[in-house]
Amino acid sequence: MVVPGSQHIEDKMYHPPEGLQKDAHVPDFNCYLELYKKSIEEPDVFWKEVASDFYWKKPPTGQILQYNFDVTKGNIYVKCMEGATTNMCYNVLDRNVKDKNLGERVAFYWEGNSPDHHEAITYGQLLGQVCRCSNTLKQMGVRKGDRVAIYLPMIPELVYTMLACTRIGAVHSIVFAGFSAESLCERIMDSQCSILVTADGVYRGEKLINLKQIADEALEKCREKFLLYFLLSRPVGCCVCWEEVMGQVSEVIGQTPWDAACDVCWEEVMGQVSEQCEPEWLDAEDPLFILYTSGSTGKPKGVLHTVAGYLLYTSLTFKYVFDHQPDDVYWCTADIGWITGHSYITYGPLANGATSVLFEGIPVHPHVGRFWEVIEKYRVTKFYTAPTAIRLLMKYGLDPVQKYDLSSLRILGTVGEPINPEAWHWYHEVIGQKRCPVVDTFWQTETPRSGLLLQVFRRPWPGIMRTVYGNQERFESTYFKKFPGFYVTGDGCRRDKDGYYWIAGRIDDMINVSGHLLSTAEVEASLTDHGAVAEAAVVSRPHAVKGECLYCFVTLKDCREFNRTLVDELKRQVREKIGPIATPDFIQNAPGLPKTRSGKIMRRVLRQIARNEKDLGDLSTMADPKVVEVLFNHRCETAS
């Protein structure tokens, strides 16, 4: 591992313990290079070996990967395992239960919002519930190719429903159960879903979110008379606490609104169907799911992934990145409503027969040691969370951590946003006790960042998106027209003198100051190197002379005072670390930053605040809208 912030490369290197390397799937860098070389020089051989672990009703008839990345030569396309037929659900469940005899192995330890609510679900039980749900959807008229919207919290039924869709060939479109009615409506309308699966409500910490009410508002907005609405009527928590939990819900929201003409009760219909359901055998390039982008202006893009490619890629990356071993208990704290949850809670782990923790709660409820309590309870070996959560928990010091036994941990992971050096070191030293490697997954923006070049790919991989749902032209113009022959990620990067690639984040996070292209992430890293700064975000602001200038938002550590002296120190630090051209024009105190619920900073909002423009657009994805008013009140006077 390489961590920024040191002067010499040898000071940045962190090697895994020898015991971990010994049994690892990729024990050293040379082994990795061999795998990489094979994947590039012999892609058919490489991916056929990966595919041999899975069941194919029919084998592929041509090359494993076929593609065109050059818009001047025709339509853009990627095909993986063309001619083959298979089923994702069969491979992640039936194959494990029937072929590998893993029916009694725990697939998920479900941990509810309250520590009192928990459930162990074996692979055999999971298969039975998924088949019931599959039969229920079929009874309601869902067929291969139909789209099903899922608006559920992190409860087992979310996994049941998405896997039921894959079993019968329906295409799931999961919407994070925190989005507004407008956002839900937009996604339902764009993908033309015929069924919506939701819940009556969910507690996040002590806050109750009335999902049914939001869903009803979304359906009113849809104006679609044919939409069938499928309500998951389940207690908010675990079924063993039905009266207690439902009593809490009723006390707050009253009786759940119900329209008998279109609402259907989950438990009523699930109890009437069989636990046996034959899978629908699908072509390798049949659609698997649609997942919409969020947190940016304009219409969200419905990113479409396909069956075989996603199976191969998520299974391989989960196995190698997290070095999955049969005795692992793995925990990804993300929500399944995001791409990380699709890949590294559901498909990747289940394809490897893994045992995972499925967590409904939040890091600080009912106490600030909840994460560490869960790790001790289930003897978690691989822990995967967001830098936002790490920074949040850092604020509470060592006491909440030291109460729990974290000795089971072997590998740590970060995801969702860049991690600053201070958070990385705390995570490695305090949580990992200096013995756990820290890994990161690159989902285009999810890696430490700095740099000045555009990152592009000449070749595809099985898990690359296939199109923007219903809008191939937007897909081609966004990702391929700028540089024919290349897939343009939209991220910047650089290769340093030691040969390491540093991802610089979205290219729209680059700022052109007097003809110099600056990475906002590089400036942010310089600011957070200061001992008083906990977090920083940098955006552009129009400048009469420079074209653009740097406007910086800094969140201070507890007990640190924001004053002129500190501002001068921060400007001097940026000048020294990057150069005079990167000196910020404005540095504003930011007690909090606007973020999505997945932890991504909403830079478009910060840009509007820097410009003192009050039209902020859609804020439905923001975790805490109150932070906006605070930031406007703290604006730099000279920037007015």
Side-chain angles (χ1 to χ4, degrees), residues 178-189:
F179 277 177
S180 66
E182 182 64 38
S183 296
L184 176 58
C185 166
E186 191 171 33
R187 287 154 174 78
I188 291 172
M189 293 293 292

Side-chain angles (χ1 to χ4, degrees), residues 72-335:
T72 67
K73 296 180 179 179
N75 292 336
I76 300 297
Y77 69 87
V78 177
K79 297 177 182 179
C80 177
M81 303 285 289
E82 188 177 32
T85 57
T86 189
N87 184 279
M88 172 71 87
C89 182
Y90 184 92
N91 274 294
V92 302
L93 292 184
D94 303 65
R95 168 178 146 270
N96 283 320
V97 172
K98 298 172 183 177
D99 299 343
K100 298 198 171 186
N101 297 316
L102 298 180
E104 297 304 312
R105 174 178 288 181
V106 172
F108 290 107
Y109 289 112
W110 178 70
E111 181 79 6
N113 182 63
S114 166
D116 295 332
H117 303 153
H118 49 84
E119 181 181 0
I121 304 163
T122 67
Y123 273 87
Q125 292 169 333
L126 182 56
L127 176 59
Q129 290 296 321
V130 168
C131 286
R132 282 185 181 275
C133 187
S134 301
N135 287 326
T136 298
L137 292 175
K138 287 166 64 175
Q139 276 193 3
M140 302 178 74
V142 179
R143 297 292 181 265
K144 175 185 174 182
D146 290 348
R147 276 77 61 205
V148 175
I150 304 174
Y151 187 60
L152 288 172
M154 288 287 286
I155 55 178
E157 284 80 0
L158 173 52
V159 178
Y160 302 161
T161 308
M162 67 188 297
L163 290 179
C165 290
T166 68
R167 192 169 191 85
I168 65 175
V171 181
H172 62 72
S173 176
I174 298 176
V175 181
F176 171 64
F179 277 177
S180 66
E182 182 64 38
S183 296
L184 176 58
C185 166
E186 191 171 33
R187 287 154 174 78
I188 291 172
M189 293 293 292
D190 186 75
S191 55
Q192 298 176 313
C193 295
S194 59
I195 296 277
L196 171 62
V197 184
T198 190
D200 46 7
V202 61
Y203 279 104
R204 285 203 175 91
E206 296 182 354
K207 181 182 179 181
L208 176 66
I209 300 174
N210 190 339
L211 296 179
K212 177 62 163 61
Q213 180 178 323
I214 297 170
D216 284 346
E217 292 173 6
L219 295 188
E220 288 180 15
K221 293 175 182 289
C222 285
R223 303 170 189 260
E224 292 288 342
K225 303 301 183 183
F226 63 83
L227 184 69
L228 180 61
Y229 182 69
F230 180 21
L231 173 71
L232 165 59
S233 181
R234 167 194 170 94
V236 186
C238 182
C239 59
V240 298
C241 301
W242 176 283
E243 292 183 358
E244 175 190 350
V245 181
M246 286 302 289
Q248 295 171 1
V249 174
S250 299
E251 183 179 335
V252 179
I253 65 174
Q255 186 175 359
T256 300
W258 195 265
D259 183 351
C262 60
D263 291 348
V264 181
C265 175
W266 172 283
E267 291 197 345
E268 288 180 5
V269 290
M270 284 281 282
Q272 300 169 5
V273 295
S274 168
E275 283 195 354
Q276 304 295 322
C277 179
E278 284 298 308
E280 181 81 19
W281 299 109
L282 306 172
D283 290 340
E285 281 299 309
D286 278 343
L288 176 67
F289 67 84
I290 301 166
L291 185 63
Y292 284 84
T293 59
S294 62
S296 60
T297 56
K299 183 180 178 181
K301 299 190 293 285
V303 173
L304 184 123
H305 284 281
T306 52
V307 175
Y310 213 74
L311 170 63
L312 297 184
Y313 204 68
T314 56
S315 64
L316 180 77
T317 53
F318 176 79
K319 176 182 176 180
Y320 284 158
V321 172
F322 298 102
D323 190 40
H324 172 67
Q325 303 293 338
D327 62 340
D328 276 336
V329 176
Y330 162 84
W331 182 18
C332 171
T333 68
D335 193 286

Side-chain angles (χ1 to χ4, degrees), residues 344-537:
Y344 292 146
I345 295 179
T346 305
Y347 293 121
L350 293 178
N352 282 273
T355 295
S356 301
V357 174
L358 183 66
F359 183 62
E360 184 188 33
I362 60 175
V364 294
H365 177 79
H367 53 78
V368 298
R370 184 73 189 280
F371 271 11
W372 324 131
E373 179 182 63
V374 172
I375 290 173
E376 179 185 77
K377 177 178 180 179
Y378 296 110
R379 305 299 296 161
V380 172
T381 57
K382 312 289 172 67
F383 180 60
Y384 188 36
T385 195
T388 291
I390 296 169
R391 288 189 290 266
L392 170 65
L393 296 170
M394 283 173 63
K395 295 180 180 180
Y396 296 101
L398 297 178
D399 287 348
V401 181
Q402 293 173 341
K403 293 178 181 178
Y404 300 98
D405 178 8
L406 306 184
S407 62
S408 61
L409 289 172
R410 298 175 192 163
I411 291 177
L412 303 176
T414 65
V415 63
E417 57 179 311
I419 184 168
N420 55 300
E422 184 184 27
W424 191 98
H425 284 289
W426 187 87
Y427 195 36
H428 179 254
E429 294 166 11
V430 176
I431 305 306
Q433 300 167 356
K434 298 184 179 180
R435 58 180 176 74
C436 296
V438 180
V439 299
D440 196 6
T441 50
F442 173 62
W443 285 100
Q444 300 203 330
T445 59
E446 297 169 1
T447 191
R449 312 184 298 180
S450 70
L452 300 174
L453 303 176
L454 184 64
Q455 184 185 37
V456 298
F457 288 92
R458 190 188 296 273
R459 303 181 185 184
W461 54 96
I464 193 173
M465 66 182 291
R466 297 304 195 261
T467 189
V468 171
Y469 181 77
N471 198 337
Q472 176 72 8
E473 193 282 329
R474 186 179 185 186
F475 173 60
E476 295 187 0
S477 63
T478 301
Y479 300 102
F480 296 95
K481 282 192 175 177
K482 190 169 187 177
F483 299 106
F486 294 89
Y487 168 77
V488 180
T489 66
D491 287 310
C493 73
R494 69 179 172 89
R495 185 174 185 262
D496 69 16
K497 62 183 180 62
D498 300 301
Y500 290 94
Y501 287 90
W502 296 86
I503 309 303
R506 303 304 299 170
I507 203 68
D508 54 16
D509 289 341
M510 311 293 266
I511 299 176
N512 195 326
V513 178
S514 300
H516 296 268
L517 196 61
L518 299 176
S519 163
T520 59
E522 196 167 13
V523 180
E524 290 166 5
S526 297
L527 292 169
T528 55
D529 276 348
H530 192 285
V533 178
E535 192 171 15

